Amino acid sequence: MNTRQAALLVAAREIQIKIRDRAFLISTALFLLIAAAATILPGLLSGDDKPTTVAVSSASGNVVAPLTDAGHEVRTVADDAAAEQAVRDGDVGAAVVAGPTVLALDDTPDDVVRALSTAPPVQLLDPDAINPVAAFLVPFIFAFVFFLTSQAFGMPIAQSITEEKQTRIVEILVAAVPVRALLAGKVIAGCVLALGQIVLLSLVTVVGLQFSGNTELLSLIAPAIGWFLPFFLFGFLLLAAMWAVAGAVVARQEDIASSSMPVQMALMVPFFAVVFLNDNPAILKILSYVPFSAPMAMPLRAFTGDAAAWEPIVSLALLAVAAVAFVLAGARIYEGSLLRTNGRVGLATAWRSRENVG
């Protein structure tokens, strides 16, 4: 069995274990449900009002045409008294009498009032401006999804490696497969599972926006999602290498919290920076080229239209180079610390004393 075959075998085993985990399945279903609700419900709840049946008195003036144009059903009655009685009897939702005056039973029929009102012309000085609500939510959503998913699928990599060291199973594993294949399999499995969940969330979001008829927001967010997927893949690959090192340098599960602190900071600092500083174009531009924050910052700039066409490509290339460098460095440290089960291993020690196994 060569290294590639061994890595795929380890990855398949890790994926099978994960997809059989009830907690993983429930959390994935919950995320998909939240994404569906967040995209479909607002459109349904803010949908157009149902047309109102309106009684129109002969003394009300020329109101039939605007009501009909607005989609309302119009019933012409003899006089104002008949119109009022129709409202009281519940035969119509509203009535228009002399004045013209709109009659309703217990609630103002805003749709009827709007139909009879003459709106002044409106000129938008910035027609391409992002909706303020979307401008606030989208940065948070991109950052939160990357933060939460990287945490949810990265921590198990560290825990799995430490568990194998603590139980000494790793000594049996490295006798059967190369050390790097063991690491590659765990990282590949984490990337496949994390990216698979992100793809599902993206599909549900796109379908939800289409179903709710929110095509304007869909046209804005679709390119951002398209960029977010490759940025997420390389960003998670970089962090997965760090999670693997955090698990390999310790020999007990209790020590993972301290060894993974650099990874936690590499996640939290960019997360809060993007969320709280997204309204600062200069800082956001810098963050979009820093490997740890690029997966959150650059898709956001693609959403707002602040990034030139070439910028996501350059940023993604820098992120890919950084991810490869972290994976290679992580593999060396992993090899130098994996079989050391007598306590925490320093990074410098692991780098110098890489085990010649596998």
Side-chain angles (χ1 to χ4, degrees), residues 7 42 52 59 86 94 99 141-142 152 159 184 207 218 227 231 248-251 266 285-286 291 300 344 354:
T52 303
I141 291 173
F142 276 131
Q159 291 173 336
V207 172
L218 177 61
W227 279 114
F231 270 95
V249 297
V250 295
K285 185 173 184 178
I286 295 174
L300 170 59
R344 181 163 180 170
R354 177 175 52 181

Side-chain angles (χ1 to χ4, degrees), residues 224-317:
I225 292 177
W227 279 114
F228 181 64
L229 294 177
F231 270 95
F232 175 86
L233 176 60
F234 286 108
F236 181 80
L237 183 62
L238 184 154
L239 291 170
M242 297 179 66
W243 282 113
V245 169
V249 297
V250 295
R252 300 185 309 161
Q253 294 283 346
E254 296 84 352
D255 298 329
I256 292 181
S258 59
S259 68
S260 64
M261 187 57 65
V263 196
Q264 303 282 5
M265 296 302 296
L267 267 173
M268 287 190 293
V269 173
F271 170 75
F272 288 113
V274 171
V275 169
F276 292 110
L277 301 176
N278 67 83
D279 57 348
N280 188 317
I283 293 181
L284 195 62
K285 185 173 184 178
I286 295 174
L287 292 175
S288 65
Y289 288 99
V290 177
F292 295 105
S293 56
M296 296 174 276
M298 186 55 79
L300 170 59
R301 295 185 65 216
F303 169 73
T304 58
D306 293 335
W310 56 269
E311 289 191 78
I313 299 175
V314 173
S315 176
L316 185 61

Side-chain angles (χ1 to χ4, degrees), residues 75 84-93 105:
R75 295 182 185 177
E84 181 179 342
Q85 190 60 45
V87 174
R88 293 185 181 279
D89 293 341
D91 296 335
V92 295
L105 193 59

Side-chain angles (χ1 to χ4, degrees), residues 13 146 155 202 213 266 285:
R13 173 182 173 273
F146 181 77
M155 178 64 82
S202 301
K285 185 173 184 178

Side-chain angles (χ1 to χ4, degrees), residues 49-294:
D49 297 329
K50 294 181 179 179
T52 303
T53 302
V54 183
V56 175
S57 166
S58 57
S60 62
N62 299 322
V63 299
V64 174
L67 290 172
T68 303
D69 293 342
H72 300 296
E73 180 183 349
V74 175
R75 295 182 185 177
T76 304
V77 296
D79 51 32
D80 292 353
E84 181 179 342
Q85 190 60 45
V87 174
R88 293 185 181 279
D89 293 341
D91 296 335
V92 295
V96 182
V97 297
T101 301
V102 177
L103 302 180
L105 193 59
D106 55 9
D107 191 21
T108 302
D110 294 329
D111 53 345
V112 175
V113 174
R114 285 194 299 268
L116 298 176
S117 302
T118 302
V122 177
Q123 180 181 357
L124 298 178
L125 299 179
D126 189 7
D128 297 326
I130 303 297
N131 181 282
V133 177
F136 171 77
L137 289 179
V138 170
F140 177 78
I141 291 173
F142 276 131
F144 182 73
V145 169
F146 181 77
F147 174 83
L148 189 63
T149 307
S150 298
Q151 181 83 11
F153 290 95
M155 178 64 82
I157 294 176
Q159 291 173 336
S160 175
I161 293 172
T162 305
E163 181 182 7
E164 290 172 354
K165 288 187 63 175
Q166 188 171 358
T167 58
R168 310 297 288 266
I169 293 178
V170 66
E171 298 174 5
I172 301 175
L173 292 175
V174 297
V177 299
V179 174
R180 290 205 172 192
L182 190 59
L183 172 63
K186 293 181 180 297
V187 172
I188 290 172
C191 289
V192 170
L193 290 167
L195 185 62
Q197 190 175 85
I198 294 298
V199 170
L200 285 176
L201 286 172
S202 301
L203 290 175
V204 169
T205 300
V206 171
V207 172
L209 290 174
Q210 288 179 329
F211 181 81
S212 63
N214 200 341
T215 55
E216 182 179 354
L217 181 58
L218 177 61
S219 64
L220 291 173
I221 203 172
I225 292 177
W227 279 114
F228 181 64
L229 294 177
F231 270 95
F232 175 86
L233 176 60
F234 286 108
F236 181 80
L237 183 62
L238 184 154
L239 291 170
M242 297 179 66
W243 282 113
V245 169
V249 297
V250 295
R252 300 185 309 161
Q253 294 283 346
E254 296 84 352
D255 298 329
I256 292 181
S258 59
S259 68
S260 64
M261 187 57 65
V263 196
Q264 303 282 5
M265 296 302 296
L267 267 173
M268 287 190 293
V269 173
F271 170 75
F272 288 113
V274 171
V275 169
F276 292 110
L277 301 176
N278 67 83
D279 57 348
N280 188 317
I283 293 181
L284 195 62
K285 185 173 184 178
I286 295 174
L287 292 175
S288 65
Y289 288 99
V290 177
F292 295 105
S293 56

